[in-house]
C-alpha cells in the first residue's frame, strides 16, 4: 500500500549581494493588491572595474517593507542608499521600448522579490544592521570589509522615517 505525502516540497533560489536602492514606488496592478516595489543596482565584478546588474523588485515581508519605506526619503533626495540584500523568485519579463533610441526593440527586465535587508548605508553612514540570524551564511549579503564605496555625511536613519 502506498501513502501519499501531502507535504509540498520546493527548492529555493536566493541571490545575495550588495547594491544601490532606487525607484522606490507603490505599484497598483490591473488585478490584485497594491504593493511596494524598488530597483536594486547590484554591484558585481572586480572592485576596480565594477559592473551593475539591475533587479526590479517586489518588496516582500513586513520587515523589508518597513526598511525600504524608511529609505524612500533619502533615495528621493538623491542620497546614495547602499544595502546588503537577499532576493528570491528570480524571473524575466520582456517588454518593448516605447521611446528613445531603442524604440521598438525588445528589452528584458530581471524581476525578483526583495526578501531581506541585512544592512543599510546612506551616503556612507551605517544606519541599519540586522542581527545575525542562525543559518545565515556570511556571504555577500553581509557588509563587506571594503565595498569600494566611500560616502559623505547623512542624517540619522531614524530621521528618515515616514511621518
Amino acid at each position: 500500500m502506498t501513502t501519499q505525502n501531502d507535504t509540498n516540497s520546493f527548492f529555493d533560489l536566493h541571490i545575495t549581494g550588495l547594491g544601490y536602492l532606487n525607484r522606490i514606488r507603490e505599484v497598483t496592478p490591473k488585478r490584485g493588491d497594491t504593493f511596494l516595489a524598488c530597483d536594486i543596482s547590484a554591484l558585481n565584478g572586480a572592485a576596480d572595474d565594477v559592473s551593475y546588474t539591475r533587479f526590479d523588485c517586489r518588496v516582500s515581508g513586513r520587515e523589508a517593507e518597513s526598511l525600504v519605506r524608511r529609505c524612500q526619503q533619502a533615495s528621493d533626495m538623491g542620497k546614495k542608499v547602499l544595502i546588503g540584500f537577499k532576493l528570491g523568485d528570480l524571473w524575466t519579463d520582456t517588454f518593448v521600448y516605447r521611446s528613445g533610441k531603442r524604440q521598438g526593440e525588445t528589452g528584458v527586465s530581471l524581476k525578483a522579490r526583495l526578501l531581506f535587508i541585512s544592512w543599510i548605508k546612506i551616503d556612507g553612514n551605517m544606519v541599519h544592521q540586522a542581527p545575525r540570524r542562525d543559518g545565515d551564511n556570511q556571504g555577500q549579503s553581509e557588509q563587506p570589509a571594503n565595498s569600494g564605496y566611500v560616502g559623505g555625511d547623512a542624517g540619522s536613519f531614524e530621521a528618515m522615517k515616514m511621518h
Side-chain angles (χ1 to χ4, degrees):
M1 179 173 166
T2 328
T3 51
Q4 189 174 14
N5 186 354
D6 290 337
T7 306
N8 289 334
S9 296
F10 57 94
F11 300 97
D12 287 328
L13 172 62
H14 289 157
I15 300 163
T16 58
L18 63 131
Y20 291 100
L21 187 63
N22 300 296
R23 258 185 86 221
I24 300 167
R25 64 211 181 270
E26 291 283 335
V27 175
T28 305
K30 292 178 184 175
R31 291 185 293 186
D33 297 328
T34 299
F35 60 90
L36 184 63
C38 64
D39 285 356
I40 296 175
S41 295
L43 286 77
N44 61 62
D48 61 351
D49 188 23
V50 174
S51 294
Y52 296 90
T53 300
R54 187 183 151 279
F55 295 97
D56 184 8
C57 301
R58 179 181 184 141
V59 182
S60 296
R62 278 186 293 225
E63 183 181 351
E65 185 174 327
S66 174
L67 290 169
V68 170
R69 286 189 190 286
R70 290 169 63 187
C71 292
Q72 187 161 8
Q73 182 180 9
S75 178
D76 291 348
M77 292 171 54
K79 294 185 179 200
K80 301 287 185 185
V81 181
L82 185 66
I83 65 171
F85 62 83
K86 182 184 291 186
L87 304 178
D89 300 333
L90 179 67
W91 60 286
T92 59
D93 189 26
T94 58
F95 62 93
V96 176
Y97 287 97
R98 294 186 181 166
S99 61
K101 65 181 181 180
R102 298 188 67 188
Q103 184 174 358
E105 292 181 27
T106 300
V108 177
S109 176
L110 293 175
K111 307 270 189 175
R113 288 188 314 130
L114 175 58
L115 304 172
F116 180 70
I117 298 174
S118 55
W119 54 266
I120 302 170
K121 283 186 174 185
I122 297 177
D123 280 344
N125 296 314
M126 182 68 69
V127 295
H128 170 75
Q129 179 76 50
R132 180 166 163 71
R133 301 185 314 185
D134 290 340
D136 276 354
N137 19 347
Q138 290 288 316
Q140 289 183 321
S141 67
E142 296 302 320
Q143 180 191 356
N146 179 8
S147 67
Y149 175 76
V150 178
D153 199 14
S156 75
F157 190 66
E158 295 304 313
M160 303 288 174
K161 284 185 180 177
M162 289 179 43
H163 298 282

